[in-house]
Amino acid sequence: TGAGYTHFVSQQGGVMLDTLSKVAQILSGLAVSGAVVFAIIQVRQYRQQRRDAAAVELMRTIQSPQWAKALHVLGDVPDGISASGLHELDSEFEKAAFTIVAIYETIGLLVYRGIAPFALVQELTGGTVGVMWRKLRVWSEEMREERDHDRFAEWFQWLAERFAEHPVAGGTGPAYTRC
């Protein structure tokens, strides 16, 4: 009976070890799957935080005194003003134009890279981007030639063209007229 009992226990132990091994494999797979899901959630949260930070920085940029002054200075400049026409007005007008270009260059690149959401930037700046591009397009093109720098105002132009291609969701009118 002793040999039979030992054989029975070793058989039972082998079955039990096999079962425990399978359970451990299942638990290991679940742990890895859980870690992957957790990592995906963390990456999404990081991306959202990055977008939120970009939105806050965007708000700071477009609410800066320099931006407001540049918009004010260029407000009455005719659409399509030339480089010589802007230069004749006053150095303040040229400084304002460079300020607008620098700000919209940065914003355009942030949108292109997906750091700043297109829809948010369009809601915040879409109207002024279009107006300023109409005013400064000819000047920008002439600056490219004059400075032999074909990338001058490239992201400003890109942003204005994308906004023209993709009207604001919910209509193109002012926010107070939308449902």
Side-chain angles (χ1 to χ4, degrees), residues 123-143:
E123 286 287 327
L124 290 172
T125 65
T128 58
V129 168
V131 169
M132 288 295 115
W133 181 247
R134 278 195 320 267
K135 291 178 179 297
L136 299 175
R137 183 185 57 79
V138 172
W139 173 80
S140 296
E141 291 167 352
E142 289 177 1
M143 292 303 292

Side-chain angles (χ1 to χ4, degrees), residues 78-93:
D79 290 355
I81 192 162
S82 66
S84 61
L86 196 62
H87 183 73
E88 288 173 8
L89 291 175
D90 187 275
S91 66
E92 183 179 27
F93 287 86

Side-chain angles (χ1 to χ4, degrees), residues 12-75:
Q12 291 298 321
V15 171
M16 190 158 193
L17 285 177
D18 186 47
T19 302
L20 287 174
S21 172
K22 289 179 182 176
V23 168
Q25 286 178 347
I26 291 170
L27 291 175
S28 175
L30 288 173
V32 168
S33 297
V36 167
V37 168
F38 180 75
I40 289 170
I41 290 169
Q42 289 295 102
V43 167
R44 286 184 179 168
Q45 287 177 343
Y46 170 74
R47 287 181 180 160
Q48 184 60 47
Q49 288 174 346
R50 191 174 73 174
R51 285 188 190 111
D52 292 346
V56 168
E57 194 56 38
L58 176 65
M59 288 299 299
R60 285 187 195 145
T61 300
I62 63 172
Q63 291 181 349
S64 72
Q66 296 85 1
W67 186 73
K69 181 179 180 182
L71 286 178
H72 177 72
V73 167
L74 295 172

